[in-house]
Amino acid sequence: MGMREGVEWALHSCLNLAEIRQRGPGAGMPDNCRAPCTVSHAMRRAGLIWRRELAGQTLADIKATAERTAPGVPARVRRWLADAGV
Protein backbone atom coordinates (compact mmCIF):
# COMPACT_ATOMS: atom_id res chain seq x y z
CA MET A 1 0.00 0.00 0.00
CA GLY A 2 1.30 3.45 -0.88
CA MET A 3 1.46 6.30 1.59
CA ARG A 4 -1.34 8.21 -0.14
CA GLU A 5 -3.83 5.45 0.42
CA GLY A 6 -2.59 4.87 3.94
CA VAL A 7 -3.26 8.42 5.08
CA GLU A 8 -6.07 9.55 2.79
CA TRP A 9 -8.49 9.71 5.70
CA ALA A 10 -6.16 12.12 7.53
CA LEU A 11 -5.97 14.41 4.54
CA HIS A 12 -9.74 14.55 4.34
CA SER A 13 -9.95 15.43 8.03
CA CYS A 14 -7.20 18.05 7.91
CA LEU A 15 -8.34 19.82 4.79
CA ASN A 16 -12.09 19.66 5.31
CA LEU A 17 -12.89 23.31 5.94
CA ALA A 18 -15.98 24.46 7.74
CA GLU A 19 -17.83 27.19 5.89
CA ILE A 20 -16.60 30.03 8.12
CA ARG A 21 -17.62 32.77 5.69
CA GLN A 22 -21.27 32.27 6.67
CA ARG A 23 -20.73 31.90 10.43
CA GLY A 24 -19.88 34.25 13.28
CA PRO A 25 -19.40 38.01 13.25
CA GLY A 26 -19.06 39.49 9.80
CA ALA A 27 -20.71 36.50 8.14
CA GLY A 28 -21.50 36.90 4.47
CA MET A 29 -24.78 36.30 2.73
CA PRO A 30 -25.20 32.76 1.34
CA ASP A 31 -25.58 34.15 -2.19
CA ASN A 32 -22.07 35.64 -1.94
CA CYS A 33 -20.57 32.33 -0.82
CA ARG A 34 -21.49 29.94 -3.62
CA ALA A 35 -17.97 29.40 -4.95
CA PRO A 36 -15.12 28.04 -2.80
CA CYS A 37 -13.25 30.76 -0.91
CA THR A 38 -9.60 31.70 -1.34
CA VAL A 39 -8.56 29.67 1.72
CA SER A 40 -10.37 26.62 0.36
CA HIS A 41 -8.58 26.98 -2.98
CA ALA A 42 -5.21 27.21 -1.22
CA MET A 43 -5.95 24.18 0.95
CA ARG A 44 -7.10 22.15 -2.05
CA ARG A 45 -3.89 22.99 -3.92
CA ALA A 46 -1.88 21.99 -0.85
CA GLY A 47 -3.84 18.77 -0.66
CA LEU A 48 -3.06 17.90 -4.28
CA ILE A 49 0.64 18.58 -3.73
CA TRP A 50 0.57 16.45 -0.57
CA ARG A 51 -1.15 13.58 -2.41
CA ARG A 52 1.39 13.68 -5.24
CA GLU A 53 4.31 13.60 -2.81
CA LEU A 54 2.82 10.74 -0.82
CA ALA A 55 2.01 8.78 -3.97
CA GLY A 56 5.74 8.63 -4.69
CA GLN A 57 6.53 7.02 -1.33
CA THR A 58 5.84 3.64 0.18
CA LEU A 59 5.64 2.52 3.77
CA ALA A 60 8.95 0.74 3.15
CA ASP A 61 10.51 4.11 2.20
CA ILE A 62 9.24 5.72 5.40
CA LYS A 63 10.41 2.76 7.47
CA ALA A 64 13.90 2.88 5.97
CA THR A 65 14.20 6.61 6.56
CA ALA A 66 12.99 6.30 10.15
CA GLU A 67 15.40 3.47 10.90
CA ARG A 68 18.29 5.42 9.39
CA THR A 69 17.59 8.83 10.94
CA ALA A 70 16.10 7.82 14.31
CA PRO A 71 17.16 4.25 15.06
CA GLY A 72 15.42 3.93 18.44
CA VAL A 73 12.08 5.38 17.41
CA PRO A 74 10.60 2.45 15.45
CA ALA A 75 10.95 0.07 18.40
CA ARG A 76 9.42 2.65 20.76
CA VAL A 77 6.51 3.22 18.39
CA ARG A 78 5.93 -0.53 18.04
CA ARG A 79 5.87 -0.85 21.87
CA TRP A 80 3.52 2.11 22.13
CA LEU A 81 1.15 0.60 19.55
CA ALA A 82 1.29 -2.81 21.26
CA ASP A 83 0.50 -1.21 24.62
CA ALA A 84 -2.44 0.62 23.02
CA GLY A 85 -3.74 -2.65 21.59
CA VAL A 86 -3.31 -1.59 17.99
Side-chain angles (χ1 to χ4, degrees), residues 5 16 22 27 35 41-42 45 49 52 56 58 65 69 71-72 81:
E5 293 85 5
N16 189 16
Q22 297 181 58
H41 281 291
R45 280 193 307 273
I49 292 166
R52 285 186 199 122
T58 66
T65 300
T69 60
L81 290 171

Short mmCIF file of all heavy atoms in Angstrom, two decimals, residues 5 16 22 27 35 41-42 45 49 52 56 58 65 69 71-72 81:
data_model
loop_
_atom_site.label_atom_id
_atom_site.label_comp_id
_atom_site.label_asym_id
_atom_site.label_seq_id
_atom_site.Cartn_x
_atom_site.Cartn_y
_atom_site.Cartn_z
N GLU A 5 -2.67 6.22 -0.01
CA GLU A 5 -3.83 5.45 0.42
C GLU A 5 -3.87 5.28 1.93
O GLU A 5 -4.92 5.28 2.54
CB GLU A 5 -3.86 4.08 -0.26
CG GLU A 5 -4.08 4.14 -1.75
CD GLU A 5 -2.80 4.36 -2.54
OE1 GLU A 5 -1.70 4.37 -1.94
OE2 GLU A 5 -2.90 4.56 -3.76
N ASN A 16 -10.64 19.48 5.42
CA ASN A 16 -12.09 19.66 5.31
C ASN A 16 -12.47 20.93 6.05
O ASN A 16 -12.61 20.94 7.26
CB ASN A 16 -12.81 18.44 5.87
CG ASN A 16 -14.28 18.48 5.58
OD1 ASN A 16 -14.73 19.23 4.72
ND2 ASN A 16 -15.03 17.67 6.28
N GLN A 22 -19.86 32.06 6.37
CA GLN A 22 -21.27 32.27 6.67
C GLN A 22 -21.58 32.12 8.16
O GLN A 22 -22.73 32.04 8.54
CB GLN A 22 -22.12 31.28 5.88
CG GLN A 22 -21.99 31.48 4.37
CD GLN A 22 -22.84 30.51 3.62
OE1 GLN A 22 -24.05 30.47 3.81
NE2 GLN A 22 -22.22 29.71 2.75
N ALA A 27 -20.33 37.56 9.08
CA ALA A 27 -20.71 36.50 8.14
C ALA A 27 -21.30 37.09 6.86
O ALA A 27 -22.01 38.08 6.90
CB ALA A 27 -21.71 35.56 8.79
N ALA A 35 -19.23 29.98 -4.48
CA ALA A 35 -17.97 29.40 -4.95
C ALA A 35 -17.03 29.19 -3.77
O ALA A 35 -17.13 29.89 -2.76
CB ALA A 35 -17.32 30.33 -5.98
N HIS A 41 -9.41 27.22 -1.79
CA HIS A 41 -8.58 26.98 -2.98
C HIS A 41 -7.14 26.66 -2.58
O HIS A 41 -6.53 25.73 -3.10
CB HIS A 41 -8.58 28.19 -3.92
CG HIS A 41 -9.80 28.29 -4.77
ND1 HIS A 41 -10.08 27.41 -5.80
CD2 HIS A 41 -10.82 29.17 -4.76
CE1 HIS A 41 -11.21 27.74 -6.38
NE2 HIS A 41 -11.69 28.81 -5.76
N ALA A 42 -6.59 27.43 -1.66
CA ALA A 42 -5.21 27.21 -1.22
C ALA A 42 -5.07 25.85 -0.56
O ALA A 42 -4.09 25.12 -0.82
CB ALA A 42 -4.79 28.31 -0.25
N ARG A 45 -5.17 23.08 -3.21
CA ARG A 45 -3.89 22.99 -3.92
C ARG A 45 -2.86 22.28 -3.05
O ARG A 45 -2.12 21.42 -3.53
CB ARG A 45 -3.39 24.38 -4.31
CG ARG A 45 -4.03 24.94 -5.55
CD ARG A 45 -3.30 26.17 -6.08
NE ARG A 45 -3.09 27.21 -5.08
CZ ARG A 45 -3.95 28.18 -4.77
NH1 ARG A 45 -5.10 28.25 -5.41
NH2 ARG A 45 -3.65 29.08 -3.86
N ILE A 49 -0.82 18.70 -3.82
CA ILE A 49 0.64 18.58 -3.73
C ILE A 49 1.00 17.47 -2.74
O ILE A 49 1.88 16.64 -3.01
CB ILE A 49 1.28 19.92 -3.34
CG1 ILE A 49 1.10 20.92 -4.49
CG2 ILE A 49 2.74 19.76 -2.98
CD1 ILE A 49 1.39 22.37 -4.12
N ARG A 52 0.37 14.04 -4.25
CA ARG A 52 1.39 13.68 -5.24
C ARG A 52 2.69 13.23 -4.56
O ARG A 52 3.32 12.26 -4.98
CB ARG A 52 1.68 14.85 -6.17
CG ARG A 52 0.60 15.08 -7.18
CD ARG A 52 0.99 16.17 -8.17
NE ARG A 52 -0.19 16.66 -8.82
CZ ARG A 52 -0.59 17.93 -8.82
NH1 ARG A 52 0.14 18.87 -8.23
NH2 ARG A 52 -1.69 18.29 -9.43
N GLY A 56 4.40 9.05 -4.29
CA GLY A 56 5.74 8.63 -4.69
C GLY A 56 6.49 7.90 -3.59
O GLY A 56 7.63 7.51 -3.79
N THR A 58 6.48 4.84 -0.35
CA THR A 58 5.84 3.64 0.18
C THR A 58 6.10 3.58 1.67
O THR A 58 6.95 4.31 2.20
CB THR A 58 6.42 2.37 -0.47
OG1 THR A 58 7.79 2.25 -0.07
CG2 THR A 58 6.29 2.39 -1.98
N THR A 65 13.75 5.28 6.13
CA THR A 65 14.20 6.61 6.56
C THR A 65 14.17 6.72 8.09
O THR A 65 15.11 7.23 8.70
CB THR A 65 13.33 7.71 5.93
OG1 THR A 65 13.43 7.62 4.52
CG2 THR A 65 13.77 9.10 6.38
N THR A 69 17.43 7.52 10.31
CA THR A 69 17.59 8.83 10.94
C THR A 69 17.26 8.84 12.43
O THR A 69 17.71 9.74 13.15
CB THR A 69 16.71 9.88 10.24
OG1 THR A 69 15.34 9.48 10.33
CG2 THR A 69 17.12 10.04 8.78
N PRO A 71 17.14 5.69 14.87
CA PRO A 71 17.16 4.25 15.06
C PRO A 71 16.32 3.71 16.23
O PRO A 71 15.77 2.63 16.13
CB PRO A 71 18.63 3.92 15.27
CG PRO A 71 19.39 5.11 14.88
CD PRO A 71 18.46 6.27 14.86
N GLY A 72 16.18 4.44 17.30
CA GLY A 72 15.42 3.93 18.44
C GLY A 72 13.92 4.13 18.35
O GLY A 72 13.15 3.49 19.06
N LEU A 81 2.32 1.16 20.24
CA LEU A 81 1.15 0.60 19.55
C LEU A 81 0.69 -0.70 20.21
O LEU A 81 -0.51 -0.93 20.38
CB LEU A 81 1.45 0.37 18.07
CG LEU A 81 1.60 1.64 17.23
CD1 LEU A 81 2.12 1.30 15.84
CD2 LEU A 81 0.30 2.41 17.15
#
